[in-house]
Amino acid sequence: MRTNNKHINNGKHQVTEKKTSRALKPISFISAIILASACLLIPTTTLAPSVDAYADSRAAAYSVGGIDTFSQSIAENCAETIPTESADKKAQEQTTAATKATQKATQPTTAPEKEKKTETKATKPVEEKEEETQPTESVQTYLVSIDNPDTSYSPSRVTLSDYDRAKLERLVMGEAGTMGYEGCALVAQSIRDAMNLSGNTSIDYIIDEYKYYAPTNIEPNSDVKAAVSYIFDNNGSAVQHRIICFYTGESNWHETQNFIISCGNVRFFDLAV
């Protein structure tokens, strides 16, 4: 009897344990799912900091039936926050590209102005140089115009010593002191041209060779000094022709020479060829 009861009791106990173990298996499985859901739910909140993303992930955790499906839902819900970062990067890149394009567009506007200034600074020195290098043409002027000028006439400059200048001025004073500036210049030119012809610049030689008879003891006036300076210092000429001799009164020999000009009653000649 005891054995049977024991057996019966043992059988009941075994049956109860089996039932209990069968009841615990679903609870353990559900607990495992809840724990896995909790573990997966925590990182999704860090990936999706907004309240809506957190609520969506939480709702997905409660609505899916398996772990794989749950993980896929969490990944899809968390992926919504990623485009926000990429959109910000794209916006920054577009802003940077627009700034570069604006800078490139403004560069060509300022470049031509610099080139124009450089061209203006490059042309100014050339114009000044051309003005400086232009030769200054010395225009030879004559005191009196004549009918038969000699365009090839080009007298050589004669430099006078102090002695020759002083005696030459007194000679011109004796020959043409009362004839004015032009008359004095004609006599001074005839002396200069005689010096060029003879190759001798001594006033004593010219007086003796060309037969000057005027006195040389009278101090020269201002017309004489100015005329001698014009002919000898400036190498000027009274007329555009050589003059070698002159006379007043009557002279058959002078009239056989090449007549140039008259000043008052004095007639000036060049030697006949």
Side-chain angles (χ1 to χ4, degrees):
M1 291 288 296
R2 288 177 66 182
T3 304
N4 290 335
N5 289 335
K6 251 183 189 181
H7 178 70
I8 292 168
N9 290 332
N10 290 335
K12 290 179 180 180
H13 180 67
Q14 291 175 356
V15 171
T16 303
E17 287 177 353
K18 286 180 181 179
K19 288 180 179 181
T20 303
S21 62
R22 288 177 182 176
L24 287 173
K25 284 181 180 180
I27 294 171
S28 298
F29 181 74
I30 293 170
S31 298
I33 292 173
I34 293 170
L35 288 173
S37 300
C39 292
L40 292 173
L41 185 61
I42 291 170
T44 58
T45 58
T46 58
L47 293 174
S50 63
V51 177
D52 294 338
Y54 179 81
D56 292 340
S57 61
R58 186 173 181 181
Y62 287 88
S63 63
V64 297
I67 293 175
D68 295 336
T69 307
F70 170 77
S71 299
Q72 185 176 358
S73 297
I74 293 300
E76 290 175 357
N77 281 279
C78 292
E80 292 179 0
T81 60
I82 296 173
T84 304
E85 296 178 358
S86 63
D88 293 337
K89 289 182 180 179
K90 286 183 179 180
Q92 291 178 357
E93 291 176 358
Q94 290 177 355
T95 304
T96 305
T99 304
K100 289 181 178 179
T102 304
Q103 291 176 353
K104 288 181 179 179
T106 55
Q107 286 177 357
T109 304
T110 57
E113 294 179 358
K114 291 182 179 179
E115 292 177 359
K116 288 180 181 178
K117 290 179 181 178
T118 305
E119 289 175 0
T120 306
K121 288 182 180 178
T123 54
K124 282 184 180 177
V126 174
E127 291 175 357
E128 290 176 358
K129 195 174 252 185
E130 288 178 356
E131 290 178 359
E132 292 176 359
T133 55
Q134 285 179 355
T136 303
E137 296 181 359
S138 58
V139 179
Q140 181 66 47
T141 59
Y142 303 93
L143 298 180
V144 183
S145 60
I146 56 177
D147 296 333
N148 56 340
D150 183 5
T151 56
S152 64
Y153 174 66
S154 180
S156 299
R157 183 187 297 272
V158 175
T159 303
L160 299 172
S161 66
D162 293 340
Y163 169 81
D164 288 330
R165 179 183 292 272
K167 193 168 185 177
L168 188 147
E169 287 178 349
R170 291 195 297 269
L171 178 61
V172 173
M173 181 66 186
E175 292 286 353
T178 58
M179 295 172 60
Y181 175 72
E182 289 183 0
C184 293
L186 286 167
V187 173
Q189 179 180 338
S190 66
I191 297 172
R192 192 267 316 274
D193 291 348
M195 288 179 174
N196 283 338
L197 178 62
S198 64
N200 196 321
T201 61
S202 170
I203 189 61
D204 291 332
Y205 173 82
I206 297 300
I207 291 173
D208 183 62
E209 182 69 19
Y210 291 87
K211 310 303 180 186
Y212 281 90
Y213 300 109
T216 58
N217 58 351
I218 304 173
E219 289 296 323
N221 58 26
S222 59
D223 286 339
V224 171
K225 287 182 175 291
V228 170
S229 177
Y230 170 71
I231 298 298
F232 286 89
D233 297 337
N234 299 335
N235 199 33
S237 298
V239 292
Q240 191 178 6
H241 205 292
R242 187 179 69 173
I243 299 173
I244 297 299
C245 55
F246 56 92
Y247 84 101
T248 183
E250 291 183 5
S251 175
N252 294 328
W253 179 83
H254 282 89
E255 293 300 329
T256 62
Q257 305 304 307
N258 185 13
F259 173 76
I260 304 301
I261 191 173
S262 292
C263 182
N265 59 352
V266 181
R267 293 168 64 83
F268 294 86
F269 300 84
D270 186 12
L271 295 178
V273 178

